[in-house]
Amino acid sequence: MEEMRTHGMQNVVLSTKSLADYASVVGDEVIAELRQLAKPLQGARVLHISSTAYGGGVAEMLHTLIPLMRDAGLEAEWRIISGTDDFFAVTKSMHNALQGMDLELPPAARAAYLHANVENAVYFEDEFDYVIVHDPQPAPLRMLRAGDKGRWIWRCHIDLTAANPTYWGFLRPFVQMYDAAIFTLPSYVKHDLEIGKVAIIPPAIDPLSPKNAPMTQEEAASIIQLYGVDPKRPMLVQVSRFDPWKDPLGVIDVYRAVKREYPAMQLVMVGSMAHDDPEGMEYFQRTKEHADADPDIHLLSNLDGVGNAEVNAFQRSATVVLQKSLREGFGLTVSEGLWKGKPVIGGNVGGIPLQIEEGKTGYLVETIEQCTDRVLDILRHPERAKALADRGHEHVRQNFLSTANLRNYLRLFNELAGRPVTEQVPATCAAR
Ligand code: UDP
């Protein structure tokens, strides 16, 4: 693969979104509250920095959050750091180690990580009132730009509960340079992190984006047929990067066990190849080998033209949506499935229990056997499964839509500017 050698950060071009359009989903009051919170922030310059504009939950969210910030009157931008393949190999190891993998951190890896950050820092121009740096890849930027004005916020999307101490020890001094850090859950905050402010903000999905917008069953059926999937037969669907933590091999085992009782069952696994995820292709190959040319297992990716509308169609056609993760920061795909009124079975890890209350809005599982039993249960009792899915949809509407995400950021900006916001908001969404 050719190495990317552009210097410094690249701007991401964004579409336009209007808060008013969301009133039909969340109600006028929510939109009025957002406008109120944004009043003191008119014209504030905001920069989000991340490592990819495509593939994965962070990119997914920023494509909505930033246009909504603009519509609320902030001057928000998004830039992507540049880096070589070596850099992205190191940051993927860092991601794995911070999720608990036992990995070494050799000097060459530290050097590659710092070198890329130095390059991004020295070419960085402009001043911002708020800079939000997403995840570990660009974390050292604050230290490297220590003289810059503005409030700097580190947004961690990872579950750090079992973080490898060597990697966390290396990262922590960079994070401590920030004015604030955002985590998805209180339990993700490391006890030794010394920082002025910690906010707890769960991620969110965009109910109006092509991935989640309404789509009829007929439209969905006509899309999935193009990929050789039969809309008349039952199917399990997991939409996830091909990554060991998403357990694609386990998902195939679940499908095989279910297929013994339901021979018509199909399995669709959709996984985009994010440019900051060099493991993707290798794990895709392993998954393909495990699928062993079963014609009812469909492994698809963006390379097959599966984009947002196609993901929407597959999720809407699913009999059961799976997210059988072994580790998960949040798992946007769980909310995506629930939003579409589907029964969702998720791994009992990370942010998934925030979205799935066992037996109420879906099922939580820890093993292949449990997951198989739950799938069979849903297939045998479709009415009960529908009730779960409907409650799940409402839970997402109240807690995990982009409007809640915007509100939490606006509250945090106000607080950092010395204007604390006092109204009560649901505990899961409140800045701490
Ligand atoms: N996604 C996608 N196409 C794919 C795989 C994933 O559009 O082939 C999207 C998925 O719909 C979700 C996001 O990428 O919006 C994944 O976010 P999640 O929080 O589930 O996992 P992450 O990739 O951030 O670990």
Side-chain angles (χ1 to χ4, degrees):
M1 190 195 288
E2 201 181 315
E3 301 225 325
M4 205 167 94
R5 285 222 176 266
T6 43
H7 288 299
M9 292 181 231
Q10 308 287 313
N11 264 305
V12 180
V13 178
L14 290 154
S15 60
T16 309
K17 294 189 191 285
S18 163
L19 272 173
D21 294 341
Y22 292 75
S24 60
V25 183
V26 295
D28 293 331
E29 268 178 35
V30 168
I31 306 302
E33 185 199 359
L34 289 172
R35 297 262 180 230
Q36 194 63 30
L37 282 169
K39 252 191 198 156
L41 295 163
Q42 293 305 294
R45 294 204 61 195
V46 176
L47 175 66
H48 289 264
I49 300 174
S50 76
S51 64
T52 177
Y54 179 74
V58 179
E60 178 75 19
M61 270 186 294
L62 294 183
H63 276 290
T64 292
L65 178 65
I66 301 172
L68 289 183
M69 282 186 171
R70 288 180 178 174
D71 189 61
L74 286 70
E75 282 185 33
E77 289 179 42
W78 179 6
R79 292 184 193 169
I80 299 297
I81 52 166
S82 62
T84 59
D85 292 348
D86 279 352
F87 170 69
F88 288 116
V90 173
T91 57
K92 186 66 207 264
S93 297
M94 185 175 272
H95 181 94
N96 287 335
L98 290 170
Q99 294 206 121
M101 248 187 218
D102 184 17
L103 297 171
E104 301 278 308
L105 180 54
R110 294 171 196 247
Y113 176 69
L114 290 174
H115 181 78
N117 271 284
V118 168
E119 288 236 325
N120 282 285
V122 294
Y123 291 101
F124 180 68
E125 283 169 1
D126 302 335
E127 288 205 338
F128 293 88
D129 299 303
Y130 302 95
V131 181
I132 303 101
V133 173
H134 293 263
D135 276 342
Q137 298 92 333
L141 286 177
R142 178 43 165 163
M143 187 178 272
L144 296 166
R145 304 288 313 186
D148 287 13
K149 295 203 189 81
R151 317 278 169 172
W152 284 61
I153 302 161
W154 186 58
R155 200 320 176 196
C156 179
H157 296 270
I158 304 176
D159 175 357
L160 295 181
T161 317
N164 173 311
T166 307
Y167 275 83
W168 172 243
F170 177 61
L171 189 65
R172 188 166 66 99
F174 301 125
V175 172
Q176 292 184 167
M177 295 292 292
Y178 285 77
D179 298 291
I182 304 174
F183 294 89
T184 297
L185 280 172
S187 57
Y188 292 3
V189 186
K190 300 302 282 180
H191 293 298
D192 57 358
L193 176 64
E194 289 171 17
I195 194 158
K197 167 139 196 82
V198 169
I200 303 300
I201 301 183
I205 63 162
D206 181 348
L208 303 182
S209 70
K211 180 170 289 169
N212 300 310
M215 178 185 273
T216 63
Q217 285 311 124
E218 293 70 36
E219 274 177 275
S222 65
I223 292 176
I224 70 167
Q225 268 171 334
L226 298 174
Y227 293 89
V229 180
D230 184 350
K232 295 198 189 70
R233 285 165 52 198
M235 74 191 81
L236 307 177
V237 173
Q238 175 159 302
V239 177
S240 265
R241 289 178 297 103
F242 287 99
D243 172 311
W245 304 108
K246 311 285 188 185
D247 199 16
L249 307 186
V251 168
I252 290 180
D253 294 341
V254 169
Y255 152 81
R256 287 205 170 112
V258 170
K259 200 171 172 76
R260 275 186 227 121
E261 285 194 39
Y262 288 84
M265 188 55 74
Q266 307 170 92
L267 171 63
V268 179
M269 294 171 91
V270 182
S272 61
M273 305 292 162
H275 101 266
D276 66 344
D277 183 359
E279 270 180 354
M281 199 42 99
E282 186 193 322
Y283 219 72
F284 178 79
Q285 286 306 336
R286 284 188 61 178
T287 310
K288 203 168 158 195
E289 279 161 30
H290 199 63
D292 198 20
D294 181 334
D296 285 334
I297 300 181
H298 302 268
L299 302 182
L300 300 167
S301 81
N302 51 313
L303 306 178
D304 303 293
V306 178
N308 290 325
E310 289 76 16
V311 168
N312 193 345
F314 281 115
Q315 287 170 330
R316 282 186 195 279
S317 306
T319 317
V320 182
V321 167
L322 297 178
Q323 190 54 57
K324 215 204 138 301
S325 304
L326 305 172
R327 281 270 198 288
E328 191 60 79
F330 181 70
L332 282 177
T333 49
V334 171
S335 279
E336 289 167 6
L338 293 174
W339 183 246
K340 294 172 181 103
K342 294 293 164 178
V344 182
I345 302 176
N348 188 14
V349 290
I352 295 181
L354 210 55
Q355 305 168 75
I356 296 182
E357 196 181 325
E358 171 60 22
K360 197 171 166 217
T361 59
Y363 292 121
L364 295 170
V365 294
E366 280 165 19
T367 61
I368 288 167
E369 292 70 32
Q370 283 175 358
C371 190
T372 305
D373 287 348
R374 288 310 196 185
V375 173
L376 291 172
D377 193 58
I378 290 170
L379 293 168
R380 288 178 193 133
H381 305 285
E383 275 158 32
R384 200 160 72 199
K386 182 78 183 91
L388 287 186
D390 289 346
R391 280 194 294 268
H393 173 87
E394 185 53 24
H395 182 55
V396 172
R397 198 180 70 81
Q398 287 181 15
N399 296 288
F400 306 123
L401 295 185
S402 318
T403 40
N405 198 27
L406 176 63
R407 178 186 57 197
N408 289 321
Y409 271 95
L410 296 177
R411 288 172 62 91
L412 178 61
F413 292 168
N414 278 315
E415 278 184 46
L416 289 174
R419 291 184 298 268
V421 184
T422 48
E423 317 94 287
Q424 292 294 309
V425 291
T428 50
C429 302
R432 201 171 73 169

